[in-house]
Structures are given as structure tokens and as C-alpha cells.
Amino acid sequence: MSTTAPTTTRRPVPDRASRTAPRAVRQSPATALRDVSAMTGRELRRTLRSVDGLVTALMLPVLIMLVFVIVFGGAIEDDGSYVDYVVPGILVLCLGFGSATAALSVAQDMTSGTINRFKTLPIFGPSVLWAHVLASTVRNLVSATLVLLVAVALGFSPGADLGGWVGIAGHLALMVLAFTWLSCLAGLVLSVDAAASFNMFFLFVPYLSSGFVPVETMPTWLHGFATHQPFTPVIETLRALLSGTSTAGQLVPALAWLVGMFVVSCAGASILYRRRTAH
């Protein structure tokens, strides 16, 4: 009687790499651009599917324009010229308010598990942040165009030539980029509830600038803050571009504020996002 030793089958032991997170995939500029484009499309579709988002992005700025020109304009300037003065301030206020919605979107992505799902995909990591920024730029430039069209219908008469309009477009784009990166940074730091209120900064601080009334008409104790805060040179530069006059007086401080805000916020948000998604 012969016996045979029982045969044992060895299960393949998974290697250590398979039990850990997926390896980071080296991204080429072409694949990174593809990922940013795909994520930007996601953000734009999310805006189009949100009725609240569309109203906030497109209709609210127009309503603010109507309120200031039709309701308040006659009390400030009874000859109808107030529209020429107030349009730059309304544009900056609305673009800041619209850009601030990125804070809530980023905070929701970071807390809802969306980012954890994206981390399992071989995509360019910062494409999520860039998508928020680019979608915000498209959304807010469309909003600015609507505001300008309504302003012209209400009697606004810009004096900018072709070069001036190119400068206006560049100034507005830089403004949205700076404001949105600041909002992305806030969304990475704040909770969802706090991020939802971040737009209050852009809603109220522009009122303490030269956007709606000249600084000289404010109380004396407000002159220093109203003159040297970032919104005043940004609004005055936009006002000069729209009217076709020289921007020499406020262009340098306006660019310093916007470029500085863009660089610091972009770098800060990128570093913080990398740290929060490293695990």
C-alpha cells in the first residue's frame, strides 16, 4: 500500500506594491492638458445643471446692475451719468462674488470623497484645482459680458478703442484668476459651511472703495483704507480702460495686487492640496 504525500498549492502572494496605493503616473504636458480639459468640462457641466449656480453666475450680476442704476442712480446723479461711474465697481463686485463660489466647490470636493476617488485614477493631480479656476474664468467672463450689455442698454457709453478692449479683457481675466485662486485656497482651509460664506468678503469690501462713490465723499477716517485697499486701484484701472483715458495712475498698484494675489494663492493652494491628498 503506497501513500502519496498530499500536494499543497501555494497561493500567489501579492507583491507589496499591489497592496498600497496606485503608483503615481508620470504625466506629460499633453496628458496633463487632457486631464485639465476633462475636469474643466466636469465643472462646467455641474454649473449648467445647477439652477442656483446659473442664477448666481448670470442673473445676479444683472440684477445688481439694475438696482444700482435704476433704483439708486437718480438719487446719486440726477442727470443719468451715474451709470458711467458705477459700471466698473459693479463688474469687480460681481466677478469677485462669482469667483468665490469656487471656495464652496473645492471644500465640497475635499470633504465628500470626490478627491479620494480621483486619487485612484492615473490623472494629473492639480487638474482638479485648475478645473475650478478655468471653469470660473469662463463663467465669470460670460457674466461680465452680460453686465456690459445691460449697462449699454441703460445708457453706458464706453470710450475704449480696440486696444482698450483687449486690455479690459486681460484685466478682467487676471482679476478672475486671482480671485478664484484665492477662493480655492480658502476652500482648502475652511469647512464647507465657512466656505459658503467666503463670498461675503467680495460682496462687502468693494463698497469701501471708489467703486460706487468717490473716496472723497466718505468719512475722513475711511479715506486711508478706501484708498489703499486692493479694490480701489483695480476698479480705477478698469474705469480708465472703459473710458479710454490713461491708466498710469493706478495700473501699477492694481497689477501688483492682482499678480501678487494670483502667485501667492496659486502657490499656497497647490502646496496645501498636495499635502492634503498625499495620504
Side-chain angles (χ1 to χ4, degrees):
M1 179 177 182
S2 63
T3 61
T4 58
T7 60
T8 60
T9 59
R10 298 182 59 189
R11 296 181 180 179
V13 178
D15 58 356
R16 185 174 301 175
S18 64
R19 293 183 299 218
T20 59
R23 294 181 180 179
V25 179
R26 185 181 298 274
Q27 294 283 344
S28 67
T31 56
L33 184 61
R34 179 202 62 197
D35 295 339
V36 171
S37 177
M39 288 294 178
T40 303
R42 165 185 173 263
E43 286 302 315
L44 291 174
R45 288 191 297 272
R46 187 160 69 170
T47 298
L48 293 175
R49 292 169 183 170
S50 171
V51 177
D52 294 341
L54 285 177
V55 171
T56 301
L58 302 179
M59 296 306 299
L60 183 61
V62 172
L63 293 176
I64 293 175
M65 169 66 70
L66 294 175
V67 167
F68 271 94
V69 175
I70 296 178
V71 179
F72 301 149
I76 299 175
E77 294 286 348
D78 55 8
D79 59 356
S81 61
Y82 183 60
V83 64
D84 292 324
Y85 182 86
V86 78
V87 166
I90 292 177
L91 279 172
V92 173
L93 183 147
C94 293
L95 291 180
F97 186 82
S99 300
T101 59
L104 177 59
S105 298
V106 171
Q108 289 175 334
D109 280 351
M110 298 302 297
T111 57
S112 64
T114 302
I115 298 300
N116 290 333
R117 291 194 292 271
F118 287 155
K119 284 167 59 178
T120 64
L121 302 175
I123 62 173
F124 178 56
S127 63
V128 177
L129 288 182
W130 276 104
H132 285 292
V133 172
L134 295 178
S136 174
T137 302
V138 173
R139 183 173 60 246
N140 283 287
L141 289 181
V142 171
S143 174
T145 302
L146 289 177
V147 170
L148 284 172
L149 291 175
V150 172
V152 170
L154 294 174
F156 177 56
S157 54
D161 55 12
L162 179 60
W165 283 109
V166 173
I168 291 168
H171 190 60
L172 294 177
L174 177 60
M175 199 186 309
V176 176
L177 287 172
F179 293 165
T180 306
W181 272 114
L182 180 62
S183 300
C184 288
L185 179 60
L188 290 168
V189 174
L190 302 175
S191 65
V192 173
D193 292 336
S197 302
F198 183 69
N199 53 19
M200 294 298 104
F201 170 77
F202 293 103
L203 185 60
F204 288 110
V205 177
Y207 287 115
L208 303 177
S209 69
S210 63
F212 301 93
V213 294
V215 174
E216 295 76 19
T217 64
M218 298 179 182
T220 305
W221 55 272
L222 267 178
H223 287 185
F225 176 79
T227 300
H228 300 292
Q229 62 130 311
F231 288 103
T232 290
V234 170
I235 291 172
E236 289 299 326
T237 299
L238 182 58
R239 181 173 287 129
L241 288 169
L242 286 168
S243 62
T245 58
S246 173
T247 61
Q250 297 289 343
L251 180 60
V252 172
L255 290 179
W257 276 111
L258 292 177
V259 173
M261 188 185 302
F262 170 77
V263 172
V264 172
S265 300
C266 180
S270 300
I271 293 172
L272 186 58
Y273 178 82
R274 190 179 302 114
R275 289 180 177 179
R276 290 194 60 179
T277 57
H279 304 290

